Amino acid sequence: MKAWVQDRYGSTDVLEFTEVERPAPREREVLVRVHAAAVNAADWHLMRGDPYVARLALGLRRPKERIRGRDFAGRVEAVGPGVTGLRPGDEVFGEAPGSFAEYVCAPETATERKPAGLTFEQAAAIPLAGNTALMGLRDLGKTRPGMKVLVNGASGGVGTFAVQLAKAFGAEVTGVCSARNAQLVLGLGADRVIDYARDDFTTGQDRYDLVFDLVGNRSLSALRRVLSPAGTLVLSGGGVFEGGSVFGPMGLIVKGQLLSLLPGRRLHVLTAVPRRENLAALRELAETGGITPVVERTYPLAEAPRALRYVEEEHARAKVVLSCPPPSGP
């Protein structure tokens, strides 16, 4: 099969579209013929090994995972031993390393049937971003009707899902984004938009029951300043920071993790874990109109470097997706 492979860290020049052995599903895995794969900020961070401290986990000299990509949508080609909920021919979506390829092996526990009515490109946009938003709002933020929720980074991949989910949960939503993305965020259901270039939301008078920070461009003290007395702060990543750094947003994340250990602190650092039950919840929301994936651009699989450059350099809004027509032949 063809796949985008890298054997050293660097720019998109390190990627090679080459023939590799098609994987075989192991126990409780499914082999999926990929029809679409979403591009995430995590993909170019891993490609560059950035921030540098992350290489302690990703691989010191080269990435442990050679094939880029995580989100996918496609059809089940084969199933491994112990798989009971899926069978060949099923249309699915999910999350697994190596999705920038014609085939990917994924755990059954991170794969779910594709939402009815969505294209493969729309379905591929959901897994990582949708799961992150769902866990941040539902599991950590405990979002419920009447809460005031602020989403910092509302026009990004996770942010566009977070705005929709918060509204679906009955919250009053404020989105922080650029002026050019204000109409997009309002169209997704936000009650109000703050242009970060004109107003610093951390210095205003408004207070929020939940601040969901997806950017990592404000200090913990500034973020906590805008919380209501019983408010909660949820930190997730920091996908728009400038590259070439030692720690990137991880300094903020580490501080958040330490503070979250103190009694009485309503502060959480989100580690999104792929779960089939979460994909099922997102599928139901997509089928009932609670969420609609927003795909800004679509590129052919063969143009993955262009898509990665766009996400890295142009601060893409919503999602960018690779379209991967099924390969010819057996």
Side-chain angles (χ1 to χ4, degrees), residues 29 42 46 51 66 72-73 79 93 110 114 121 153 158 163 168 170 185 227-228 241 245 258 286 298 315 317 321 323:
E29 284 187 342
L46 200 158
R66 298 180 66 224
F72 66 85
V79 300
F93 73 128
K114 181 177 76 68
E121 288 77 14
V158 178
V163 169
V185 174
L227 292 175
S228 63
F241 79 94
S245 64
L258 293 174
T298 301
H315 296 302
R317 53 184 176 176
V321 174
S323 180

Side-chain angles (χ1 to χ4, degrees), residues 4 17 39 298-309 321-323:
W4 282 102
F17 197 39
V39 180
T298 301
Y299 295 82
L301 174 62
E303 297 182 15
R306 283 186 59 205
L308 281 162
R309 284 195 297 270
V321 174
L322 302 176
S323 180

Side-chain angles (χ1 to χ4, degrees), residues 1-20:
M1 71 172 187
K2 296 294 286 292
W4 282 102
V5 174
Q6 72 172 106
D7 291 308
R8 57 191 174 92
Y9 293 117
S11 68
T12 53
D13 293 337
V14 304
L15 298 176
E16 182 182 4
F17 197 39
T18 187
E19 292 282 344
V20 297

Side-chain angles (χ1 to χ4, degrees), residues 15-290:
L15 298 176
E16 182 182 4
F17 197 39
T18 187
E19 292 282 344
V20 297
E21 184 177 355
R22 191 173 80 174
R26 296 174 295 184
E27 186 171 3
R28 298 192 62 79
E29 284 187 342
V30 295
L31 175 67
V32 176
R33 180 173 285 188
V34 178
H35 288 224
V39 180
N40 296 287
D43 296 316
W44 67 262
H45 282 303
L46 200 158
M47 178 185 71
R48 290 186 175 276
D50 190 17
Y52 300 138
V53 71
R55 297 186 186 187
L56 295 174
L58 303 177
L60 289 177
R61 296 185 178 181
R62 61 183 64 87
K64 297 175 183 177
E65 297 171 356
R66 298 180 66 224
I67 302 176
R68 296 283 58 76
R70 292 199 67 85
D71 288 342
F72 66 85
R75 284 190 174 88
V76 175
E77 184 79 4
V79 300
V83 173
T84 58
L86 297 169
R87 60 185 180 182
D90 285 345
E91 295 184 349
V92 296
F93 73 128
E95 187 179 342
S99 65
F100 290 1
E102 292 175 333
Y103 295 87
V104 66
C105 273
E108 183 184 19
T109 54
T111 308
E112 178 56 73
R113 287 181 175 82
K114 181 177 76 68
L118 294 192
T119 65
F120 285 107
E121 288 77 14
Q122 289 175 311
I126 297 176
L128 188 152
N131 183 51
T132 300
L134 183 67
M135 293 183 68
L137 291 164
R138 183 195 65 185
D139 301 344
L140 299 182
K142 310 295 182 186
T143 307
R144 57 188 183 276
M147 284 180 61
K148 296 182 66 174
V149 174
L150 180 137
V151 179
N152 186 26
S155 62
V158 178
T160 51
F161 284 109
V163 169
Q164 296 180 79
L165 287 171
K167 288 302 295 182
F169 296 154
E172 176 185 328
V173 182
T174 296
V176 181
C177 63
S178 66
R180 78 180 182 101
N181 294 326
Q183 289 305 311
L184 167 66
V185 174
L186 289 169
L188 294 174
D191 299 282
R192 186 168 69 108
V193 166
I194 297 175
D195 176 4
Y196 66 78
R198 296 185 55 186
D199 299 298
D200 183 351
F201 71 89
T202 65
T203 62
Q205 299 300 311
D206 292 311
R207 298 294 179 264
Y208 303 93
D209 303 305
L210 171 62
V211 172
F212 193 13
D213 181 59
L214 305 170
V215 184
N217 63 349
R218 294 291 188 274
S219 67
L220 283 178
S221 59
L223 292 169
R224 293 170 59 201
R225 188 184 306 133
V226 296
L227 292 175
S228 63
T232 299
L233 171 61
V234 176
L235 304 175
S236 177
V240 300
F241 79 94
E242 297 298 326
S245 64
V246 176
F247 294 102
M250 294 184 69
L252 179 71
I253 297 297
V254 171
K255 290 178 184 177
Q257 288 174 327
L258 293 174
L259 279 176
S260 68
L261 299 175
L262 298 177
R265 298 285 186 178
R266 294 179 178 271
L267 190 158
H268 303 281
V269 175
L270 172 59
T271 300
V273 178
R275 293 173 181 165
R276 188 175 184 185
E277 56 267 31
N278 288 356
L279 289 172
L282 292 165
R283 173 177 53 79
E284 182 176 348
L285 282 161
E287 291 176 342
T288 57

